Amino acid sequence: MSIVKMKRLRLIGMLDQRPDMLRQLQHLGCVEIDEPGDRSDDPQWASLTRPDTGALNEARDARSSVENALKTLKKYGPKQKGGLLTPRPVITEGELFDDGAYQTGLADAGRLVELDRKISTLYAEQNKLRTQKLALAPWLALDIPLETASTPDVAVYFGTVAASTDLDAMEGALGTVTDLYELMRAGADNELKYVVFLCHRSVEEGCQEVLKEYGFSRSALRGWTGTAAENDRRLDAQLDAAAKELETTIAQVGSFAPRKGALEQCLDRAEQEIAREEARCRLMDSAAAFFLEGWVPVPDEDKLAGMLKEYTCCWETEDPAPEDYPVVPVKLKNNKFTEPLTTITTMYSLPAYDGVDPNGLMMPFYVFFFGFMFADLGYGLILAGACAFINHKTHPKGGFGQLIRLMIMCGISSAVIGFFTGGLFSDFLAQFTSMLGLAQPVIPFLSVPDGVTGVPGPLLNVMGDPMTVLVFALAVGFVQIVVGMIVKFWMLCRDGQVVDAILDIGTWWVIFVGIGLFALGVGNVAGYPVVLIIGCLMLLGQGRSAKGFGKVTAIIGAVYNGVTGYFGDILSYSRLMVMMLAGSVIGQVFNILGAMPGGGLPPAIGIPIFFVIFIIGHAFNIGLNVIGTYVHTSRLQYLEFFKQFYKEGGRPWRPLNIETKYVDIKEEH
């Protein structure tokens, strides 16, 4: 697979045709509208203006309104059926851009937002009323109006003292001052006691001194009319009214539940309006025309030309210059087998425009490595089947959809490799038949009991012969590293750096061949030094850019870094064997745990016990190994494979197109 070639697009069109042209460009989805280059030095370009942002702000307000409406409906509306596996509605593009449905949706959203505000107000009112009831609770025992105030002859104080205060002692102290007082006791709580104090004005000063000694503090009870009990009953009535109004309002929100799908479609429509208006704001305007600058993929150039024939405009495309490569957007050209790997590539970084699309190179290795580490027929079928079901039911898009489709391929790979390496829920067949006292079945590759001949056993047995598996894993890793070196060699030759390709890459191939021949013992003994000498002579080219003694240090550094680097990279592939072994051992442990209690019991009891432990244990093992295998497989690509050739830093291509979250658009011809 490759990186799609891009061309710079420049277009001048008529201002009155711009709205319709932008809609058509959004329909085609093949043009990225970019910010125009800086031409402020040219007085003619400096006179151009930017479009107003009023329509963009309106579209964003519409999106915010619909989002808030959906949140309100989710919070207060009835629980609706559906979930992760619920397929999205499929509509036509015309239905998505139906202005009547859009305005109706916005009106519904506005009404829901108003209801949400009303609900918030009612909740605030209820909290306020409950707070007032709490404030009145200590005074409910009083039968005097709360608005009772002092007169010229009598002083009236509503107040509190600490809960530990002895009111009898307080009354005794007041009695030593005068008999012209009364202390009315109200309620109390954990911290305070509530009282009302009355006295004649003539003894007020002396009584205040006593009250001060006992920590009396006056309470402000403003705004109340009548006794505390009367006010409490009034508050209860107000709370009941607020509760009924709140119930009615929430019911009104629930009545919009059947419109949830229409609101979601309205939100998708608002997103399209925002995308188009954001693109419009990147244009430059004159009194009668506008200027557009962007990027178009070469395969879509004819399609764009056919559309632009309908408008009064002039336009041109040109290939980007090498100095423009850092800003050229990157679009990967993939097929159904390599497209799922895009989620792995983008997680790392898109390739530079003059780099190499790694998806096609990575796909066979990634799928094989995942299958090799996961290696189990049962696990692979479960993973592939579950992901295929999700893909069929929901048709996921974007990165999640790519991950689901990738896991389908990886699950199939795991099942195939698991069959040929003898893995079916680890050693399930051996443990289960042994528990029942039955003979282990004979299945080629998958189940071959000891002593059986004429039936092929597992091609690789990680439990019985882990060293062979380790050597195989390192050999496969070496192949991937060599593939990466070949790609790097081709990239250097493509860029005219043939000598660099030979000296930087080719030298190591000669050394690898020499080491391989020496290890295998193939050929004439005298031929080994020849191969190694040639490799060493070619390695001298590593110091070609250095001068003087720097050539020596450059050669030594290149040899040391190369040897340790390649050795470490190849050794990293040992994780293929380690993960394969770990999954098999954990699965075997759960099989043994299931067989232990079931072995001494009747089959009617032992078999259910076995399968309860079997299901729980292997479900845990599948979940753990899917995560671990995904991480380690990706790591091998990022740190061992990509370092050989990958040139990252690409900017993703973001065309003006139709992207929806809640609905799928049906293609129309």
Side-chain angles (χ1 to χ4, degrees):
M1 298 300 103
S2 61
I3 297 174
V4 178
K5 297 300 180 184
M6 292 282 173
K7 282 193 174 184
R8 169 72 75 177
L9 169 67
R10 295 184 181 88
L11 180 147
I12 297 177
M14 304 307 296
L15 204 58
D16 59 344
Q17 294 181 340
R18 183 173 64 186
D20 186 59
M21 183 183 291
L22 288 177
R23 285 182 180 274
Q24 289 298 320
L25 289 176
Q26 189 173 35
H27 167 74
L28 291 181
C30 66
V31 174
E32 176 184 297
I33 299 178
D34 208 354
E35 290 285 346
D38 184 16
R39 299 179 176 85
S40 57
D41 295 338
D42 189 333
Q44 294 183 347
W45 284 97
S47 63
L48 298 181
T49 61
R50 291 283 189 154
D52 66 276
T53 60
L56 175 60
N57 294 333
E58 290 179 5
R60 288 173 174 169
D61 290 342
R63 177 181 63 183
S64 178
S65 176
V66 180
E67 286 176 341
N68 291 333
L70 287 171
K71 290 178 182 177
T72 301
L73 193 56
K74 180 180 180 180
K75 185 176 181 180
Y76 301 113
K79 300 297 181 182
Q80 297 187 350
K81 296 180 180 179
L84 177 64
L85 299 181
T86 303
R88 288 185 294 270
V90 180
I91 64 174
T92 65
E93 188 175 328
E95 291 174 318
L96 177 65
F97 287 97
D98 183 348
D99 290 333
Y102 182 52
Q103 294 302 324
T104 301
L106 292 180
D108 290 340
R111 179 58 180 152
L112 280 169
V113 170
E114 291 177 2
L115 292 173
D116 181 60
R117 292 197 191 99
K118 185 176 181 181
I119 290 173
S120 298
T121 301
L122 289 171
Y123 275 129
E125 179 67 18
Q126 285 183 325
N127 290 333
K128 176 184 175 182
L129 294 174
R130 292 190 184 102
T131 301
Q132 291 175 342
K133 279 180 63 66
L134 290 174
L136 287 175
W139 308 101
L140 292 177
L142 292 177
D143 58 356
I144 64 173
L146 297 178
E147 73 273 18
T148 301
S150 299
T151 67
D153 297 324
V154 179
V156 180
Y157 299 155
F158 288 82
T160 60
V161 292
S164 59
T165 302
D166 186 348
L167 294 181
D168 292 335
M170 181 177 173
E171 286 193 85
L174 289 169
T176 61
V177 176
T178 181
D179 292 334
L180 302 177
Y181 81 94
E182 181 176 357
L183 186 68
M184 304 175 64
R185 305 186 186 192
D189 53 32
N190 294 332
E191 297 179 356
L192 300 172
K193 291 179 179 178
Y194 298 81
V195 297
V196 180
F197 176 74
L198 301 90
C199 71
H200 194 270
R201 289 288 189 183
S202 61
V203 296
E204 181 180 7
E205 185 174 348
C207 291
Q208 284 181 345
E209 293 295 329
V210 175
L211 294 176
K212 184 177 180 181
E213 292 177 4
Y214 283 87
F216 179 83
S217 176
R218 298 185 65 174
S219 299
L221 295 176
R222 300 185 181 91
W224 299 104
T225 302
T227 65
E230 292 172 345
N231 283 281
D232 188 68
R233 288 191 292 272
R234 184 164 62 250
L235 291 175
D236 285 335
Q238 292 176 354
L239 278 171
D240 290 340
K244 291 179 181 178
E245 188 175 4
L246 181 61
E247 182 180 356
T248 301
T249 306
I250 291 177
Q252 290 177 329
V253 172
S255 67
F256 284 88
R259 296 282 300 162
K260 180 174 182 289
L263 286 170
E264 291 174 339
Q265 179 178 325
C266 181
L267 181 56
D268 276 339
R269 166 66 186 277
E271 293 289 357
Q272 312 318 310
E273 298 296 319
I274 291 172
R276 194 167 60 252
E277 289 302 322
E278 286 178 341
R280 183 181 67 87
C281 290
R282 298 189 192 104
L283 307 180
M284 300 294 289
D285 290 351
S286 68
F290 70 92
F291 173 70
L292 179 153
E293 192 169 31
W295 299 95
V296 58
V298 171
D300 295 327
E301 192 173 359
D302 291 340
K303 181 170 64 174
L304 175 65
M307 187 275 285
L308 293 178
K309 288 180 180 178
E310 303 175 8
Y311 299 94
T312 303
C313 64
C314 59
W315 59 282
E316 67 172 4
T317 59
E318 65 176 0
D319 294 323
E323 57 268 19
D324 294 330
Y325 286 173
V327 299
V328 179
V330 173
K331 178 184 179 183
L332 303 181
K333 181 181 180 181
N334 294 304
N335 55 37
K336 63 180 180 180
F337 294 106
T338 60
E339 183 266 344
L341 272 297
T342 302
T343 184
I344 305 299
T345 301
T346 54
M347 192 182 300
Y348 181 80
S349 174
L350 279 176
Y353 182 70
D354 56 343
V356 173
D357 178 3
N359 288 359
L361 300 167
M362 180 172 53
M363 191 278 290
F365 290 106
Y366 194 99
V367 173
F368 177 79
F369 290 167
F370 192 103
F372 192 85
M373 286 190 271
F374 205 51
D376 190 283
L377 176 59
Y379 291 1
L381 291 177
I382 290 174
L383 177 62
C387 292
F389 178 75
I390 294 174
N391 189 63
H392 173 73
K393 287 288 291 183
T394 64
H395 304 289
K397 299 185 292 185
F400 179 68
Q402 292 167 349
L403 179 62
I404 290 296
R405 292 186 287 276
L406 176 61
M407 289 298 104
I408 293 174
M409 295 192 296
C410 290
I412 295 172
S413 171
S414 303
V416 173
I417 295 175
F419 174 80
F420 285 106
T421 56
L424 176 61
F425 298 105
S426 192
D427 62 342
F428 161 72
L429 292 176
Q431 293 291 343
F432 186 68
T433 54
S434 175
M435 183 189 74
L436 298 179
L438 303 175
Q440 182 179 342
V442 179
I443 303 174
F445 303 108
L446 194 61
S447 177
V448 182
D450 295 337
V452 175
T453 59
V455 179
L459 298 181
L460 291 172
N461 188 349
V462 71
M463 299 292 290
D465 188 10
M467 286 305 299
T468 301
V469 179
L470 176 61
V471 172
F472 178 79
L474 297 180
V476 174
F478 177 72
V479 171
Q480 187 181 36
I481 288 176
V482 171
V483 170
M485 296 173 70
I486 293 173
V487 177
K488 181 63 174 180
F489 189 92
W490 172 83
M491 291 175 65
L492 291 173
C493 293
R494 178 199 63 181
D495 297 337
Q497 304 175 38
V498 178
V499 174
D500 292 338
I502 294 174
L503 295 179
D504 292 341
I505 309 296
T507 53
W508 288 107
W509 291 345
V510 175
I511 294 173
F512 291 158
V513 170
I515 294 174
L517 292 175
F518 182 79
L520 296 174
V522 178
N524 192 317
V525 176
Y528 303 148
V530 174
V531 174
L532 294 176
I533 290 172
I534 293 175
C536 291
L537 291 175
M538 296 179 69
L539 197 59
L540 294 176
Q542 298 292 330
R544 62 190 180 278
S545 60
K547 295 181 180 180
F549 187 73
K551 290 183 176 291
V552 178
T553 58
I555 293 172
I556 295 174
V559 173
Y560 177 79
N561 294 331
V563 171
T564 57
Y566 285 122
F567 180 77
D569 292 344
I570 295 172
L571 195 60
S572 292
Y573 288 87
S574 62
R575 70 188 67 245
L576 296 176
M577 183 275 293
V578 173
M579 290 297 297
M580 185 183 191
L581 179 63
S584 298
V585 170
I586 295 174
Q588 186 178 32
V589 168
F590 284 115
N591 289 336
I592 294 173
L593 291 175
M596 287 174 60
L601 298 173
I605 299 176
I607 291 177
I609 292 176
F610 174 85
F611 278 105
V612 168
I613 299 175
F614 173 87
I615 292 172
I616 295 174
H618 284 283
F620 169 78
N621 197 24
I622 289 174
L624 185 66
N625 275 279
V626 165
I627 297 173
T629 302
Y630 173 80
V631 170
H632 286 288
T633 307
S634 300
R635 182 194 181 280
L636 288 174
Q637 312 310 311
Y638 296 157
L639 299 185
E640 273 62 59
F641 187 46
F642 280 9
K643 70 182 290 186
Q644 307 301 329
F645 69 94
Y646 198 63
K647 185 177 181 181
E648 74 275 7
R651 179 175 69 85
W653 183 58
R654 304 187 189 280
L656 174 61
N657 62 355
I658 298 174
E659 290 188 3
T660 57
K661 179 180 179 181
Y662 296 103
V663 299
D664 288 334
I665 303 301
K666 178 171 56 179
E667 292 188 10
E668 295 178 289
H669 299 283

